[in-house]
Amino acid sequence: MPRLLFALGTLFALLALPLPAAEDAPPAPVGPKAKLHPALHLVGDSTMADKPVDKPNPERGWGQLFPTLVREPARIVNHAVNGRSTKSFRDEGRWENVLTQLEAGDYVLIEFGHNDEKKEDPKRYAAADTDFKANLRRFIHEARAKGATPLLATPVNRRKFDSKGELTDTHGAYPDAVRVVAAEENVPLIDLHKLTRPLLEKLGPEESKSLFVWVKPGEYAILPQGRQDNTHFNEKGALTIAQLVATEIRAQKLPIAAWLK
């Protein structure tokens, strides 16, 4: 009897232990849902993401303004989130959310790079020539497996001018990595890195501030100390980038050009 009681006790103890998660199980889906198909899914970081507007807030992502340029705004689903990279976007279940709702005929426009660059953060870092490229390819293959059409975009330039007033690149090998993957995978490319450079150069060090979150102390309650932000756009800047994207879609005669106003 003691042996039986011991065995039963061991069995119950084992049953009470949590089951290990399957190694290949994807994280739970996180993010918005498409309301209308075919849809254009925007996947990226803070330069693309929707920003809160419930309180006065100067920051906008270009994906937040892009729906204003199409006839049916409900076709645009902005999954982009501040601070994400090709690695963290998947690890957090955000890519799984995109995959679960993709339908044949949908489009997925992917723009990363700003946060993949951050070597000091292992949760986000993806080396340009290895993991970053591999992550982009995986996005492409999985989108195509759902019958969707992937599109790639290079990261937009930051507003960084040197002492001579010349624009300085901050993205290193990442824009070229996107270009290489786009060419190898035969994916349409929106080269925002290339398109935003002459825009900022033409405006110059001072006038280019009008596209970014440069605000004075006290101008916004959520930014009591003000901000001089050379990465994130204000409404004017976000709309300007969205218009560049729309112009490039038309120039390449992509099918979604028919969606534009």
Side-chain angles (χ1 to χ4, degrees), residues 67-194:
T68 66
L69 305 179
V70 302
R71 294 188 177 91
E72 297 178 280
R75 292 196 185 278
I76 311 302
V77 190
N78 195 355
H79 302 268
V81 181
N82 286 21
R84 272 52 180 189
S85 68
T86 57
K87 181 179 187 301
S88 63
F89 193 87
R90 180 183 291 277
D91 290 346
E92 294 175 2
R94 300 182 186 281
W95 177 247
E96 182 64 18
N97 176 57
V98 178
L99 283 181
T100 57
Q101 59 189 286
L102 282 185
E103 294 187 6
D106 280 359
Y107 293 80
V108 187
L109 175 53
I110 302 162
E111 181 209 349
F112 284 107
H114 281 79
N115 301 298
D116 295 82
E117 304 166 2
K118 297 180 178 179
K119 291 184 178 181
E120 72 280 4
D121 187 350
K123 291 184 178 180
R124 295 188 287 179
Y125 177 61
D129 289 334
T130 54
D131 291 345
F132 182 66
K133 285 183 177 179
N135 292 342
L136 291 177
R137 289 192 180 97
R138 191 175 173 190
F139 287 149
I140 290 166
H141 298 163
E142 291 175 350
R144 283 175 169 164
K146 291 281 189 174
T149 299
L151 314 169
L152 291 181
T154 52
V156 294
N157 276 284
R158 292 185 175 95
R159 181 194 162 275
K160 184 177 182 181
F161 291 86
D162 63 20
S163 59
K164 297 180 181 179
E166 296 179 356
L167 189 68
T168 302
D169 179 56
T170 66
H171 292 305
Y174 287 86
D176 275 343
V178 180
R179 294 176 186 122
V180 168
V181 172
E184 291 178 349
E185 298 290 342
N186 195 28
V187 172
L189 175 68
I190 308 295
D191 200 340
L192 286 176
H193 184 259
K194 181 180 179 180

Side-chain angles (χ1 to χ4, degrees), residues 210-230:
S210 67
L211 304 181
F212 293 84
V213 182
W214 272 64
V215 298
K216 299 176 181 178
E219 191 173 350
Y220 287 87
I222 64 169
L223 298 171
Q225 305 303 316
R227 180 183 290 177
Q228 295 181 359
D229 186 333
N230 297 311

